[in-house]
Amino acid sequence: MGKILVGGDVCLKGEIPVQGSKNAALPIMAGAVLHKGCTVLHNCPRISDVYNMEKMLINLGAKIHWEGHTLIIDCSRICEIAVEEGLSGRMRSSVMLMGSMLGRCGRVQIGYPGGCVIGKRPIDYHLDLFADMGVNIDREGQQLILSCNGLRGVCHRFPRPSVGATENGILAAVHAEEPVVLENCAREPEIGYLCAFLRCMGADIDGDGTDRICIGGGSRLHDGEYTIPADRIAAGTLLLSGAITRGQVNLAGAPRRDMDELLKVYEKMGGQFSWNGGTLLTDSRHVKKSVGRIVTDVYPGFPTDLQSPLMAVCCTLEGESRIRETIFEDRFRAAGQLARMGARIVTAGDEALVKGPVRLTGRTVRAQDLRGGAALVVAGLAARGQTVVECQEYIERGYESFYEEINLLGGRIVKMDSEA
Ligand code: EPZ
């Protein structure tokens, strides 16, 4: 496991372009399987989760190559129905290959997905939908074998909004024999991006962004080209890095429509922002006040993926901040590591009480998931002395060049080789 050294007491200033969205790129890459031809994805983030999805697609028979941040995927030939064991368990998004492979071949063998350990993260909503669409689901050890003779058109209501299950349903429905209506869908922007991509390939989809999505079924797809939109979570993490250091960070290409909830919280703490065309200008010199009570929620609520980085900032704010995590059962793991740095955080069930301001102290801490790891870097920027963040590989799953970006803004992050 590698580690990074994070210099403290910095004040970040400058402008950074926002990377392409991890949580848009991954389901879209899985969606390329639906088309017996070529898909070109621009602004694709070069992160380990994308490389893992690339490996799985190649393993199934796709031909893939990069040209800078453009990913060219040729799925003319899919000659394998089994996803290589050990790959699917590396991340959550491998589950998307169920919907696209069922649509393409009517059959797929795949292990249970992995992903950040932030809760149980079952896939019952996905499997219940597939069963509703006429898919047989067999289990062989840790492997799932899904098969069907065509996908039935259905009207299916999810028990609760699920980003992945909504995306998987859309992927499976594109080639269903009859129209599919999905109800109680998640409304995250990444679902809209997946639908925009599929529409540019010829799919017939309406309703994305609402809780009811209709997919025409039986779509004949054609070659397509799509630009992955900016990553709202990466943008939010950089904004919060500026906030904790009381700096002035500008985010070029930040996804304007997807940042409202975070910007409301940012203003509550005293942050000031404006837009200059497509660039978000932030000024954190007056960041001081606690944010009061924050509740994570499905979109358009406060994003659970920014809960840990926000918690780090709350440690440095005056007063009590209460954070309630309603999406995942075990997403306060960063709190224990922040406490090692002197943070005053008490967690009980789905609530965390953060008391501040505290002068954090650099310590050796350990990343345990992607966003929790990012939160430790954010905290290290404001800490006294140096913070060593171990297991930084978690961070590299979702952030393409987080350390370099922080250093360009005036930070001092050094990556140590794993054997060091
Ligand atoms: C996606 O995960 C994102 N990952 C997550 O981002 C994000 O936190 C999450 O959506 C919520 O916004 C990707 O897009 C790759 P869900 P997903 O299905 O699809 C329960 C990051 O850091 N549930 O909306 O797995 C589930 O346990 C990652 O980038 C079931 O019970 O999230 C959770 O409590 C972390 N059964 C809730 O629903 C199911 O079949 C929401 O999960 C599916 C989900």
Side-chain angles (χ1 to χ4, degrees), residues 137-185:
I137 301 166
D138 297 311
R139 287 166 175 77
E140 276 184 20
Q142 283 307 304
Q143 291 285 299
L144 286 166
I145 297 159
L146 287 77
S147 59
C148 63
N149 294 316
L151 287 159
R152 258 199 313 258
V154 291
C155 179
H156 182 90
R157 184 174 180 79
F158 293 112
R160 73 186 265 197
S162 155
V163 173
T166 302
E167 291 168 340
N168 231 342
I170 292 165
L171 290 168
V174 166
H175 287 324
E177 291 164 338
E178 298 294 330
V180 171
V181 176
L182 301 173
E183 295 186 333
N184 202 18
C185 294

Side-chain angles (χ1 to χ4, degrees), residues 167-289:
E167 291 168 340
N168 231 342
I170 292 165
L171 290 168
V174 166
H175 287 324
E177 291 164 338
E178 298 294 330
V180 171
V181 176
L182 301 173
E183 295 186 333
N184 202 18
C185 294
R187 297 164 50 198
E188 272 65 8
E190 292 77 23
I191 290 163
Y193 300 150
L194 172 65
C195 293
F197 159 71
L198 291 169
R199 275 192 288 264
C200 97
M201 304 277 283
D204 166 18
I205 306 174
D206 281 314
D208 41 303
T210 74
D211 63 1
R212 188 173 192 272
I213 298 175
C214 304
I215 303 99
S219 302
R220 287 191 59 74
L221 302 182
H222 49 71
D223 285 6
E225 199 161 346
Y226 181 72
T227 298
I228 304 287
D231 190 313
R232 62 191 171 107
I233 305 302
T237 308
L238 281 169
L239 181 149
L240 291 168
S241 300
I244 201 169
T245 64
R246 311 305 191 253
Q248 292 162 278
V249 171
N250 300 335
L251 301 171
R256 186 164 191 156
R257 288 181 310 145
D258 306 342
M259 300 196 67
D260 289 350
E261 274 312 300
L262 172 64
L263 290 170
K264 279 184 208 158
V265 172
Y266 180 59
E267 282 190 311
K268 272 174 103 172
M269 62 175 78
Q272 296 167 312
F273 73 92
S274 60
W275 289 91
N276 177 14
T279 299
L280 174 60
L281 312 178
T282 73
D283 184 342
S284 302
R285 285 175 291 182
H286 304 294
V287 165
K288 189 167 66 169
K289 299 171 293 190

Side-chain angles (χ1 to χ4, degrees), residues 354-370:
V354 187
K355 292 187 177 178
V358 161
R359 186 82 170 82
L360 297 169
T361 303
R363 287 279 185 275
T364 296
V365 289
R366 175 168 293 233
Q368 300 169 85
D369 59 75
L370 163 57

